[in-house]
């Protein structure tokens, strides 16, 4: 599909908010024939209305039973945005094993199951984008579990690209830096930062962006969605097995 062409059936995980919701709206606007939307937050998933033919699946992406259900109902998948993930932070010496496993479980095990089912249902010439993170590229203190999971996502995309190339299926990853999404609100350090800015979330985000990001701004979810749609489109027809780092220069 050229960048302005309609698309067929599109799967989006982590669809109820942030980058996933922005992708759902963008793909619906592009003329997607059917959207398969997956999220663990059933209320938010039901509230999301991007328009068009939508099938919703509420559940945990690291539950194999969810993917059995999706495979049974999906039909042929033409485009996929595998985006579900959770945030985590903490120094290695202070990280509980259960917290480590939970992060790796959702971000990497869940990504494996999502990708496996997508490849099983993908038509020849399909295109898939996995949401990684600049934390999988650049090491920072306190990001061991999250960074390791996202580094794994990047390598998973590369291996999948090699395996699927014979069918003309392209698999890429995007590694955003700071993006204004609800995932920040899951982290203790960001809640503390918001509190230190008198509860003003926008000011807290601006303060973070000003430190270590050369462009001194974070992306919006819609900006990242537009970059994902480029990777999904035929305008990126020779791009596979790559990771697009979109971080405002943070990793420089």
């Amino acid at each position: 599909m050229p960048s302005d062409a309609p698309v067929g059936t599109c799967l989006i995980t982590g669809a109820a908010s942030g980058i996933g919701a922005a992708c759902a709206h963008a793909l619906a606007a592009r003329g997607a024939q059917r959207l398969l939307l997956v999220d663990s937050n059933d209320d938010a998933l039901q509230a999301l209305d991007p328009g068009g033919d939508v099938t919703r699946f509420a559940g945990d992406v690291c539950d194999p039973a969810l993917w059995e259900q999706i495979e049974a109902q999906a039909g042929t998948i033409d485009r996929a945005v595998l985006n579900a993930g959770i945030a985590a932070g903490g120094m290695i010496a202070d990280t509980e094993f259960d917290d480590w496993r939970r992060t790796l479980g959702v971000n990497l095990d869940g990504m494996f199951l999502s990708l496996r089912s997508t490849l099983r249902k993908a038509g020849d010439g399909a295109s898939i984008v996995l949401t990684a993170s600049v934390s999988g590229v650049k090491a920072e203190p306190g990001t061991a579990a999250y960074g390791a999971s996202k580094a794994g996502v990047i390598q998973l995309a590369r291996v999948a690209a090699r395996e699927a190339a014979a069918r003309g299926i392209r698999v890429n990853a995007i590694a955003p830096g700071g993006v204004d999404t609800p995932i920040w609100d899951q982290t203790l350090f960001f809640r503390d930062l918001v509190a230190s800015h008198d509860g003003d979330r926008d000011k807290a985000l601006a303060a973070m962006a000003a430190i270590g990001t050369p462009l001194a701004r974070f992306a919006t979810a819609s900006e990242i969605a537009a970059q994902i749609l480029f990777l999904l489109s035929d305008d990126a027809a020779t791009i596979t097995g790559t990771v697009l780092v979109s971080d405002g220069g943070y990793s420089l």
Side-chain angles (χ1 to χ4, degrees):
M1 74 170 181
S3 60
D4 60 348
V7 295
T9 295
C10 305
L11 169 69
I12 306 171
T13 69
S17 65
I19 294 169
C23 286
H25 284 288
L27 285 165
R30 188 67 56 82
Q33 294 173 334
R34 185 185 182 200
L35 293 177
L36 309 174
L37 306 182
V38 183
D39 203 280
S40 61
N41 187 333
D42 189 22
D43 289 342
L45 188 62
Q46 297 301 324
L48 178 67
D49 184 17
D53 182 358
V54 177
T55 303
R56 297 172 175 83
F57 299 91
D60 186 340
V61 290
C62 46
D63 179 5
L66 172 67
W67 290 105
E68 291 176 5
Q69 177 190 3
I70 292 171
E71 287 187 36
Q73 298 181 37
T76 299
I77 294 173
D78 302 294
R79 303 288 183 266
V81 182
L82 306 183
N83 170 73
I86 59 173
M91 303 296 280
I92 294 171
D94 300 324
T95 298
E96 297 293 335
F97 184 63
D98 285 348
D99 294 334
W100 167 270
R101 281 301 320 148
R102 177 172 178 268
T103 304
L104 271 289
V106 174
N107 293 356
L108 191 52
D109 296 346
M111 185 64 78
F112 163 74
L113 291 170
S114 306
L115 181 58
R116 184 178 69 173
S117 290
T118 299
L119 290 171
R120 288 173 174 174
K121 303 300 294 186
D124 291 353
S127 183
I128 304 167
V129 175
L130 283 59
T131 301
S133 168
V134 71
S135 292
V137 177
K138 180 176 181 178
E140 291 282 11
T143 65
Y146 186 74
S149 71
K150 293 300 186 176
V153 167
I154 291 170
Q155 186 66 2
L156 189 61
R158 289 167 55 84
V159 173
R162 288 293 303 272
E163 292 182 354
R167 295 177 53 202
I169 296 172
R170 297 185 299 106
V171 185
N172 291 290
I174 188 165
V179 185
D180 184 2
T181 73
I183 200 169
W184 289 111
D185 304 304
Q186 300 175 21
T187 62
L188 178 60
F189 85 89
F190 183 69
R191 293 196 294 268
D192 289 343
L193 186 62
V194 171
S196 72
H197 285 80
D198 299 321
D200 191 319
R201 189 177 183 279
D202 290 339
K203 287 183 178 179
L205 279 171
M208 284 201 305
I211 300 173
T213 302
L215 290 182
R217 62 176 291 258
F218 284 171
T220 66
S222 295
E223 287 172 327
I224 300 299
Q227 294 161 13
I228 290 172
L229 260 63
F230 163 71
L231 290 173
L232 290 175
S233 77
D234 286 347
D235 287 346
T238 60
I239 300 175
T240 194
T242 66
V243 53
L244 173 59
V245 177
S246 178
D247 67 350
Y250 170 76
S251 57
L252 294 174

